[in-house]
């Protein structure tokens, strides 16, 4: 079974600074997807960024980028120029590329990010 | 929000009573999912559906049943609610072409079982 581990329950960052959230995962598959979701206090789950395992290039979305290390099974999220609105729970998630498991997202336990003005 | 509406937003019920949560979507998505979120566990899949009357179990399906009689509605039923089912429940849909799918979530239902 796949597992996703977020080793940092809480983190904080100064406004306008950069912060990196860690995520590691365990799988025997070679093709899969990885995601970061943001959950603000409103409770809405918001997709931040998505990475296909077969792509070597790291995904980027504006101020959000990932460092995908397939051999190390590591998928960290970097937030640049942090803003107050970035304060939220962040969840790392894994999904198989095909087969029965491709319909299920496996989530980590989350990292609570605080942004200090 | 990918046209997803969950109802109710909040519900308080007593142990042993049946509870049904509704997920409604307006964009004809084929795949729909029910997740629960608990502190220290992230989100875990309960059941999912890949079409009308086509459903399957997820990671934590015990104590739950689902039904999908039409494309737009996916119902989650707790036949006899227990305190361990106190949680936030999220409905989700898959959007995009095969291999490019992304999951979008509803706003969640906070369920408290007393």
């Amino acid at each position: 079974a796949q597992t996703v581990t977020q080793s940092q329950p809480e983190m904080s960052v100064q406004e306008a600074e950069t912060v990196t959230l860690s995520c590691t995962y365990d799988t025997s598959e070679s093709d899969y997807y990885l995601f970061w979701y943001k959950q603000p206090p409103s409770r809405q789950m918001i997709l931040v960024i998505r990475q296909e395992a077969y792509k070597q290039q790291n995904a980027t979305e504006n101020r959000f980028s990932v460092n995908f290390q397939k051999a190390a099974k590591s998928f960290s999220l970097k937030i640049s120029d942090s803003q107050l609105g970035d304060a939220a729970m962040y969840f790392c998630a894994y999904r198989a590329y095909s087969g029965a498991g491709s319909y299920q997202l496996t989530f980590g336990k989350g990292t609570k990010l605080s942004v200090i003005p | 929000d990918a046209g997803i509406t969950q109802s109710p937003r909040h519900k308080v019920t007593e142990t042993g009573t049946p509870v049904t949560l509704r997920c409604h979507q307006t964009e004809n998505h084929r795949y729909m999912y029910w997740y629960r979120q608990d502190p220290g566990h992230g989100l875990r899949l309960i059941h999912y559906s890949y079409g009308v009357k086509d459903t399957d179990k997820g990671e934590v399906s015990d104590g739950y049943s689902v039904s999908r009689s039409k494309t737009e509605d996916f119902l989650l039923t707790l036949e006899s609610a227990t305190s361990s089912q106190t949680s936030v429940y999220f409905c989700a849909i898959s959007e995009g072409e095969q291999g490019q799918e992304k999951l979008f979530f509803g706003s969640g239902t906070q369920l408290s079982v007393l």
Side-chain angles (χ1 to χ4, degrees), chain B residues 51-62:
Chain B
V52 173
K53 298 185 180 179
D54 292 324
T55 64
D56 206 347
K57 297 178 180 180
E59 178 186 359
V60 291
S61 60
D62 288 348

Side-chain angles (χ1 to χ4, degrees), chain B residues 74-112:
Chain B
F74 191 33
L75 305 181
L76 177 70
T77 298
L78 292 65
E79 300 291 346
S80 178
T82 67
S83 58
S84 65
Q85 293 176 311
T86 292
S87 187
V88 180
Y89 291 86
F90 286 94
C91 175
I93 58 92
S94 293
E95 187 175 274
E97 297 179 358
Q98 187 173 2
Q100 300 293 325
E101 306 96 328
K102 297 179 181 179
L103 252 62
F104 293 91
F105 289 82
S107 299
T109 295
Q110 172 69 63
L111 176 66
S112 298

Side-chain angles (χ1 to χ4, degrees), chain A residues 5 20-27 32 34 36 51 58 66-77 92:
Chain A
T5 302
T20 299
L21 308 184
S22 300
C23 173
T24 58
Y25 57 95
D26 186 25
T27 182
Y32 47 87
L34 296 164
W36 279 98
Q51 174 82 41
N58 290 325
V66 297
N67 183 4
F68 173 49
Q69 301 290 330
K70 190 172 183 179
K73 297 181 181 176
S74 170
F75 183 61
S76 61
L77 175 69
C92 179

Side-chain angles (χ1 to χ4, degrees), chain A residues 27-47:
Chain A
T27 182
S28 58
E29 304 291 330
S30 58
D31 289 329
Y32 47 87
Y33 301 103
L34 296 164
F35 306 83
W36 279 98
Y37 278 88
K38 169 185 177 182
Q39 187 179 40
S42 67
R43 202 170 68 195
Q44 181 74 42
M45 292 289 288
I46 303 166
L47 177 63

